[in-house]
């Protein structure tokens, strides 16, 4: 990842990639795009975006991020459904951080037409 590329791992600049979702200028069109934008929000410390894109049924009342956490990369391993033609989808990913990684299969659903994170299952 270069300093100008998006933290989600795609080659676009942050403002043209996940930044536009964070700013509210656009909504993530797929479950995978939402997953990538949520990872970028963790990297950037954007708690408001994380809560806004969490399903109302499972969203916590508050979210406290660890200021010492340093995310270092995202690898999408599999995406099932989650396109414009679906109402549900899953994304399996590995998110690396200084000192380890997180392997998860996340579930997403559409609420009022927008993709939201429901919950995840830790793997490994």
């Amino acid at each position: 990842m270069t300093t100008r590329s998006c933290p989600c791992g795609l080659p676009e600049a942050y403002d043209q990639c996940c930044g536009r979702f964070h700013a509210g200028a656009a909504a993530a069109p797929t479950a995978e795009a939402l997953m990538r934008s949520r990872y970028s929000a963790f990297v950037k410390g954007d708690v408001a975006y994380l809560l806004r894109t969490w399903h109302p049924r499972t969203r916590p009342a508050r979210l406290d991020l660890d200021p010492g956490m340093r995310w270092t990369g995202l690898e999408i391993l599999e995406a099932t459904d989650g396109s414009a033609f679906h109402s549900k989808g899953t994304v399996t990913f590995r998110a690396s951080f200084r000192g380890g990684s997180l392997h998860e299969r996340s579930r997403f659903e559409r609420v009022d037409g927008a993709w939201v994170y429901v919950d995840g299952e830790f793997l490994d």
Side-chain angles (χ1 to χ4, degrees):
M1 178 174 83
T2 68
T3 56
R4 297 184 58 165
S5 63
C6 190
C8 79
L10 294 177
E12 290 87 3
Y14 169 74
D15 288 344
Q16 282 72 49
C17 194
C18 294
R20 63 195 171 112
F21 304 140
H22 295 172
T30 65
E32 181 179 335
L34 182 65
M35 173 63 239
R36 288 180 178 280
S37 70
R38 285 177 56 83
Y39 171 82
S40 292
F42 275 103
V43 171
K44 298 282 189 177
D46 190 342
V47 171
Y49 181 78
L50 292 167
L51 291 173
R52 189 169 69 244
T53 58
W54 211 309
H55 197 293
R57 180 176 76 237
T58 57
R59 178 178 31 222
R62 60 182 277 173
L63 182 62
D64 297 315
L65 300 182
D66 178 352
M69 178 67 87
R70 296 294 175 252
W71 296 100
T72 59
L74 176 67
E75 178 184 7
I76 301 296
L77 303 171
E78 179 182 26
T80 305
D81 296 334
S83 77
F85 303 105
H86 301 105
S87 60
K88 295 181 179 183
T90 62
V91 179
T92 304
F93 67 92
R94 186 175 316 276
S96 300
F97 55 89
R98 191 178 309 147
S101 67
L102 171 83
H103 186 195
E104 181 178 312
R105 179 177 302 114
S106 293
R107 292 186 320 126
F108 298 89
E109 292 179 7
R110 283 186 185 266
V111 172
D112 297 327
W115 285 106
V116 293
Y117 170 78
V118 177
D119 59 19
E121 170 190 4
F122 293 117
L123 306 171
D124 291 346

